[in-house]
Amino acid sequence: MIPASFDYVRATSLSHAIGLLQDDPDGNKLVAGGHTLIPTLKLRLASPALLIDISGIDELRGIEVADCIRIGALTTHAELLASKPLREVLPIFHQAADMIADPQVRNRGTIGGSLANADPAADWPAVVIALKGELELAGPTRRRRIAARDFFVDIMTTALEPGEVLVAIHMPRPNRGAKFRYRKIRHPASGYAVVGVAATLCLRDDIVSEVMIAITGATSRAFAADSASTHLIGKPLSTENIAMAASLTGEQAECLSDHYASADYRKHLVKTEVSRALASLNGA
Amino acid sequence: MTDHTEELHVVTVDVNGVRRTASVEARKLLVHLLRDDLGLTGTHVGCDTSQCGACTVDIDGQAVKSCTVLAVMTSGSSITTIEGLARGGGALHPVQAAFHEHHALQCGFCTPGMIMSVRQMLGQNPNPTESEIRHGLAGNICRCTGYNNIVRAVQSLASEAPRHD
Amino acid sequence: MTDTTAIRYVGQSLRRREDFKFVTGKGRYSDDIKAPGMLHIAVLRSPHAHAIIKHVDLTVAKAAPGVRLALSGTDLAGKIGSIVPNWIIPGTKVPDRPVVAIDRVRFVGECVALVVAETQAMAHDAIGLIDVDYETLPSVVDEEAAIRDGAPQLHDNVPNNITTIYKIGGGDYGKAAREADQVITLRVANNRLIPTCMETRSILAEPNVDGSLTVYLQSQVPHMHRRWIADTVGISEHQLRIVAPDIGGGFGAKMHLYPEELLCPYLARLLGVPVKWWESRSESHQSTNHGRAHTEALEIAFRNDGKVLGLKVETLGNVGAYLSNMASGGPTVNTINFGTGAYKIEHYEARSRVVVTNTVPVDAYRGYGRPEGAYIAERAIDAVARHLNLDQVEVRRLNFIQPADFPYRPYSGPATIYDSGNYEGCLVKAMEAFNYDFRSAERDQLRAKGRYRGIGVAAYTHMCGMAPSRRLSLIGFNRGGWESARVSVDSSGRVTIFSGSMSQGHGHVTSLAQIAADVLQIPIEDIDVVQGDTRQVQAGHGTFNSRSMAVGGSGVHVSSTRVVAKAKKIAAGMLEVDEADVSYQAGKFSVPGTDIASLKFGTVARMAHVGHQLPDGMEPGLDETVFYDPKGMGAPSGVHMAYVDVDPETGIVDILDYVAVDDAGTIINPLLAAGQIHGGVVQGIAQALYEEVSYDADTGQLMTGSLLDYAVPRAEHVPSIRSLFQETPSPTNPIGVKGIGESGSIAAPPCMVHAVLDALSPFGIKHLDMPMTPPRVWSAIQKARAGADR
């Protein structure tokens, strides 16, 4: 319940934070909302030497909805839930945020923290993959962008290099008529996804013109269900095509097994939830 | 005391309308600042993984689990705890009164956090349905009441006639 | 309030008098109490399920900042006694349990060493610096595995890991089986649970200048704790003051003797300063007793009309690594004595074996044995109905014990007596409230459309308030069955009740005062209730076994009655009339039919105190203490019904409705009684759908080590509970009450299982073990479908 001792510095700028992180990339850690890190510290599963508080860095804040959509890494789940401009163009943020943890956690936890932590059962990875998002990373020598689908490497492992900070998430503005759905089967204790499905879809004359499905919770990292998308493009969203897309997604998923849920169960949930997500977008 | 010294950080916060200052280790959790340094023991610790919500307080208008916040990160904030709702032994806050009227508490341990959560919930949605109430209580565990009468208490505070799901 | 005749408190839904402090954050729980100069303990716990301790090196820890003392089990050997159980079924082999392990650990979480330091943080820092050299041993966590040949053995004096063998029964099961049309078998399990009081345990021991010791401790049983701590630490009971402040839930978990409850008093005396220990939630999962953890093999003999002729039960109760306080009694007397439930099953043969394993000790948790017993009876009766394809209600009706049968001794056995009840009444009330016929039709219609709806029914009865004292020795229960109540009237007629019961959220300050106010006929505002301080409360046994109203409340009733009787004598003297002519009504002593001015209760109380005008030979004062020892035990009963919808693709169970009809005799306060049902039912739903402690079978590691893994239900996970009462007064006590606190957690698990099985009946699924989690439900459906395809 009581963390081991650490030092604490409030970073005054992004470059300040990067500099501090670079001093000891293994021992120093960033903290913003702290809702993943602090429980870990309390259970003494981690004991960093220095916590770098980035919560005051303005550059990491804000939701901008313009030709592109930019979400600063410090944006809390509650802000994403409440943002009306965001909800108008990308309602999936509202749908997913409402299923993340609980109101108090949402008030403090950030999307950047969730993405950088890369918990395989977190919700945002699937959402940003499905939205073809790009993550903006700032390091000691350069800034770069990486596609969300390439960012998640393995359980709790990302493409972030030592000394890099996640700055923001960028997404293209969706086509008019695009539809969105986030579905999730929650673990009853942790609230994390046993399986979560993010789906975006455009229909033109009842034919699928664009589709992207991403899955979280089922496997060691969130992934894009490309085979399903490929199958659906150019076809009507019929019961048969939905079933085939669900089945292809299930086949693509190399599911995790734990003492709560077997890999077989997760695979079935992937199919069921993909199917239900797509069906809900049909005519929605 | 000892020859060992941790680097201490000065934290200044407004708690229930009173400016409070304390020197704390970086690792000190807000809930421990409130309970141990400021003597506000109405905020409770019921778990260590941010599940139970017994430690819920209001920081700058938002319900937050104070066991998952470093005290040092709250400097400059305004904090309201359960002790700040019915000040000076005055009239109960409507949520407090509703909990009493509807027998929404038994052992009382989760109650302060529960009340702080309900206070925010009704601030954001003054007229929730039963399922909205239950969803809004997702961050608080009660082991005694089965939530039944907590839901009734919140329903009694709804601004309008019952809205069905 | 001038005329109290119009007010009868018992039966009123009074709002709780104790709420104000809790809703304003002024409750005073154990961890809120601090003493100047107090030191803090942190406990190093075993990471292994079973291992030899080869060496404990405290050198670095002792040198750490702020550390005053670091001790291993070896250091404490001979200085504190062992932890000894308090209920020992005759013939039980009791393994030795040192307070801190000395040479061997037997479960993950067992105390291995401790540090006393200036702050809690320093103590936690220092235990990380203790170096322990272990040699791991094979472990066993499952009760069935533990009794197999070749299983790891935990204790030299407990061969085959069985501490206790207990048998009960009556009639001739073999004959019943021969005469039956059919015999079926069923294996059922009661999943291991964590009681999860929202307040974890915490202890502060503070030495006083006179050599005595005050211990602040969340205890459901303060006077029992005083005796146990005194006996084990070597302090005189009268030198030990236990103060149980506000308690954040107990549910059975706070009525046992734990190592930390001995370490704090011992160390406070050793060091001469206050010593505190506080348990984190994750620590609690491995340091506070678990509940349930049974396996039962059933054999049921019945006629084709649904009449059950005989039942045979083999129980294995997993009690963890050592025998906790009552551990040998739970899976035995408390379980199989009640295995026939609400049914007249005349031929009964039951055996229970109590098994040690490399797990956290298991002891009482809300119902303790009675949920497991009711589960036996209910699963048996439901299996018969399902097997014969008969209506679940009708089969219960056919087998119910009838009102004319009371007092009823099930299976003509020696120990169990159900004092009263009317199960048909509860059933009819439940069916009406539930709209059973409509719902049955709706379920059938939806089933035809591929929806999986199910109706669950469970009936129960059991016994509460273990008593009378003289009978308890026969089962090795080393306590009395009485409860103490002192009703003390001050010189102005206001009353303080000193009760040996111990509220942990039950609302005794309200309910006990309601009982007293009716007898004393004074406003409830004039009555205070004191509990939980052994220096104030004369004696007691505390709160468990749903005994507070039946035994503690009856005690208050009797002592209040004695107060009135004495006051009446004094009043007669003051009014100069014969006592028989005095009437006491509405708080006034009067002489009906005369114009003699009446006397107020307060006036008589003042006279009792000044003693100026008392009958010859009467002692002054108006203060009565009783040690109320019941003549028997009340048997609550009830019928619960649940309506569920199961999604076969996800396995998720949605509870659409839950109706509880409970008969707890006279209801003191319907609002509080319903609150007990709501909470108990949700704990029962939790057992049925969500909660289970998992251990890795190979390593003995606890897999549900925090609330991230162990699924205590949230508001979203449960429905509203519709609670109704039927009142069949108990003839065993003066107020007619029976226990209520455990009823919900007894009835709900079988009720939920039956609802889900009913929903899944189209798949041919006959049994599911709890918790019926979505993965488990889905998997059962898959298996059934695969079987159907073959």
Side-chain angles (χ1 to χ4, degrees), chain A residues 2 44 189-190 260 265 268 276, chain C residues 125 647 649-650 714 774 778:
Chain A
I2 300 173
R44 299 202 176 202
S190 70
Y260 178 73
Y265 177 67
H268 185 79
R276 289 178 176 179
Chain C
D125 291 343
D647 177 348
E649 297 306 320
T650 62
R714 317 295 174 94
W778 178 81

Side-chain angles (χ1 to χ4, degrees), chain C residues 72-155:
Chain C
S72 68
T74 313
D75 299 325
L76 287 164
K79 295 180 179 155
I80 311 183
S82 296
I83 296 178
V84 180
N86 188 249
W87 185 1
I88 303 174
I89 296 293
T92 294
K93 300 179 179 77
V94 179
D96 182 56
R97 183 183 185 186
V99 174
V100 177
I102 296 169
D103 51 8
R104 194 161 151 192
V105 287
R106 293 179 176 86
F107 67 95
V108 171
E110 185 166 2
C111 303
V112 173
L114 63 95
V115 165
V116 187
E118 287 170 12
T119 68
Q120 202 181 41
M122 285 168 168
H124 280 272
D125 291 343
I127 57 166
L129 304 171
I130 298 172
D131 187 22
V132 186
D133 187 11
Y134 295 100
E135 179 188 326
T136 58
L137 299 170
S139 61
V140 63
V141 298
D142 175 81
E143 59 270 19
E144 290 179 309
I147 60 169
R148 282 186 202 125
D149 288 345
Q153 300 292 298
L154 271 77
H155 302 280

Side-chain angles (χ1 to χ4, degrees), chain C residues 676-720:
Chain C
Q676 288 295 313
I677 294 298
H678 299 153
V681 165
V682 165
Q683 288 186 14
I685 290 173
Q687 172 169 19
L689 294 185
Y690 299 107
E691 296 180 19
E692 179 172 47
V693 178
S694 313
Y695 276 99
D696 184 281
D698 297 325
T699 64
Q701 290 297 318
L702 178 62
M703 307 299 285
T704 44
S706 78
L707 288 180
L708 275 169
D709 309 291
Y710 187 79
V712 174
R714 317 295 174 94
E716 284 182 286
H717 292 133
V718 294
S720 288

Side-chain angles (χ1 to χ4, degrees), chain B residues 22-74:
Chain B
S23 293
V24 300
E25 285 184 73
R27 62 169 157 173
K28 176 158 278 187
L29 303 168
L30 176 60
V31 68
H32 290 144
L33 174 77
L34 295 170
R35 289 180 53 80
D36 299 340
D37 299 62
L38 306 184
L40 296 167
T41 55
T43 302
H44 299 146
V45 178
C47 77
D48 44 15
T49 51
S50 312
Q51 247 60 45
C52 83
C55 65
T56 301
V57 300
D58 185 299
I59 304 179
D60 296 331
Q62 293 188 315
V64 168
K65 293 180 175 174
S66 63
C67 78
T68 314
V69 175
L70 299 176
V72 68
M73 290 179 75
T74 63

Side-chain angles (χ1 to χ4, degrees), chain C residues 209-220:
Chain C
V209 285
D210 62 0
S212 68
L213 191 69
T214 303
V215 181
Y216 299 92
L217 167 69
Q218 309 111 314
S219 175
Q220 299 177 220

